[in-house]
Amino acid sequence: MTDAYVSRETPTREEDDPPLAMEALRAVQILNPSGVVTMPRPDHTRIMCVANQKGGVGKTTTTVNLAVALALHGNRVLVVDLDPQGNASTGLNVPHHAGIPDVYDCLIDNVPLSDVAQAVEGIPNLWCVPATIDLAGAEIELVSVVARESRLSRAIAAHPDTFDYVFIDCPPSLGLLTVNALVAAQEVLIPIQCEYYALEGLNQLINNINLVRQHLNPTLDVSTILLTMYDRRTRLADAVEQDVRNHFGDKVLRAVIPRNVRVSEAPSYGQSVMTYDPGSRGATSYFEAAQEIAEHGVKGGKA
Ligand SMILES: Nc1ncnc2c1ncn2[C@@H]1O[C@H](COP(=O)(O)OP(=O)(O)O)[C@@H](O)[C@H]1O
Ligand SMILES: [Mg+2]
């Protein structure tokens, strides 16, 4: 029960947050006010689908924080919120109440993506296509539209601006919305929560990815696995990490995202953890993950 005593003495910091001096230094790097720190820009738009049909594994958190990290370091980034719950829109503080033009209008009514994308306040180079509650109907309505699997792909291709990254935040299911994301993307990023059932259910996702590859998007690549909500105090987390690394090899990013209370607090302030508490372990880990992803994009290895 030592943990309980520690947390009572230091109620606002997590046990594993870094010392203040290092934290301050990292915060400057992450917020990058002078623009000096850059992450290399890819030579083509990288469209990354953030998918895992399990809910609560960190898809949205990963989408939001990687997008902000890359945008703060010189990349042009678009986030497409493809979950009717609209959590990515909330996390980026983008209005998405009923009546706001959203991704539903693009998928079902052919409204251009550029008409519904909103600039994210306070983060230059970052835009978000929000999801409103309207999107809840899309899964069913898509069934009867023409080219139902490639609506998002067409919408992204028709966008007049060039982005370095497009992140698509998927809902926790393998329905037509996720299929649209898999058809639109070149790469799949799978966040895996470090818990006992982590690998269970992944087969189903991989099977779906294989089906999409066979029939609709031959070059789709599972390029990136990110371990999330890692709790280093448990032996289980370590075992899950070994399992995932054995299974997926160098697709697994070296950076691992710890379970960190700052990460979970940030969305209620309409912020990413990068801006909410840039010195926290949550922010530094997402910063490192974004750096790795950016480096893979220029080496040509995984992109
Ligand atoms: N590294 C983390 N540490 C603590 N809480 C986290 C972390 N990552 C995500 N969470 C929290 O876990 C919940 C689920 O995360 P979320 O990104 O919404 O998952 P998904 O999009 O896969 O459903 C959210 O409440 C989020 O704030
Ligand atoms: Mg989500």
Side-chain angles (χ1 to χ4, degrees):
M1 285 282 93
T2 339
D3 287 351
Y5 286 111
V6 170
S7 61
R8 230 173 276 148
E9 278 166 20
T10 53
T12 58
R13 306 296 321 165
E14 285 212 343
E15 183 209 345
D16 62 351
D17 272 341
L20 280 173
M22 197 203 294
E23 191 175 314
L25 190 74
R26 292 298 265 167
V28 173
Q29 272 192 322
I30 288 172
L31 291 173
N32 202 20
S34 61
V36 166
V37 186
T38 56
M39 294 185 188
R41 297 172 63 184
D43 57 11
H44 65 280
T45 306
R46 293 178 74 187
I47 307 180
M48 305 187 76
C49 164
V50 183
N52 187 329
Q53 82 272 25
K54 264 194 206 179
V57 299
K59 290 182 289 298
T60 301
T61 306
T62 295
T63 301
V64 165
N65 288 298
L66 291 179
V68 169
L70 286 158
L72 287 175
H73 296 86
N75 283 268
R76 289 170 57 85
V77 184
L78 176 69
V79 168
V80 178
D81 189 349
L82 209 57
D83 185 343
Q85 296 189 56
N87 294 341
S89 313
T90 305
L92 293 169
N93 205 16
V94 168
H96 63 108
H97 47 266
I100 294 268
D102 78 334
V103 69
Y104 171 92
D105 301 308
C106 307
L107 294 173
I108 305 289
D109 295 329
N110 287 322
V111 172
L113 218 51
S114 50
D115 285 7
V116 308
Q118 300 183 41
V120 173
E121 219 182 295
I123 314 281
N125 299 320
L126 180 59
W127 291 264
C128 174
V129 174
T132 74
I133 193 66
D134 285 351
L135 189 60
E139 199 83 68
I140 290 167
E141 288 171 57
L142 273 171
V143 172
S144 54
V145 304
V146 177
R148 61 190 180 185
E149 294 96 355
S150 44
R151 307 290 287 189
L152 182 62
S153 175
R154 288 181 184 197
I156 292 175
H159 199 294
D161 294 341
T162 311
F163 296 101
D164 296 309
Y165 289 87
V166 177
F167 286 100
I168 308 169
D169 185 29
C170 288
S173 67
L174 293 172
L176 269 174
L177 285 173
T178 297
V179 170
N180 262 272
L182 292 172
V183 172
Q186 303 128 5
E187 300 179 53
V188 187
L189 187 167
I190 307 178
I192 296 183
Q193 187 181 347
C194 296
E195 50 145 31
Y196 184 60
Y197 295 113
L199 289 172
E200 223 166 78
L202 269 192
N203 275 347
Q204 222 182 330
L205 174 63
I206 301 288
N207 285 346
N208 273 45
I209 291 169
N210 287 337
L211 280 173
V212 168
R213 205 184 275 133
Q214 276 165 32
H215 299 287
L216 298 158
N217 186 5
T219 57
L220 182 64
D221 178 31
V222 178
S223 66
T224 314
I225 309 282
L226 177 61
L227 292 162
T228 64
M229 292 184 240
Y230 185 92
D231 186 345
R232 69 181 168 83
R233 288 166 299 190
T234 70
R235 227 176 280 162
L236 177 64
D238 191 46
V240 171
E241 175 174 8
Q242 288 318 314
D243 248 20
V244 172
R245 290 195 188 279
N246 288 341
H247 197 266
F248 289 102
D250 65 359
K251 291 178 189 297
V252 187
L253 296 183
R254 289 188 303 278
V256 169
I257 311 301
R259 188 175 281 285
N260 179 269
V261 73
R262 298 309 208 186
V263 175
S264 54
E265 284 170 2
S268 58
Y269 296 88
Q271 288 194 45
S272 68
V273 76
M274 312 311 276
T275 52
Y276 173 65
D277 189 353
S280 64
R281 280 269 193 247
T284 55
S285 315
Y286 271 116
F287 173 74
E288 282 158 16
Q291 263 180 329
E292 278 185 62
I293 288 173
E295 280 157 20
H296 292 162
V298 289
K299 276 187 212 144
K302 291 184 180 179

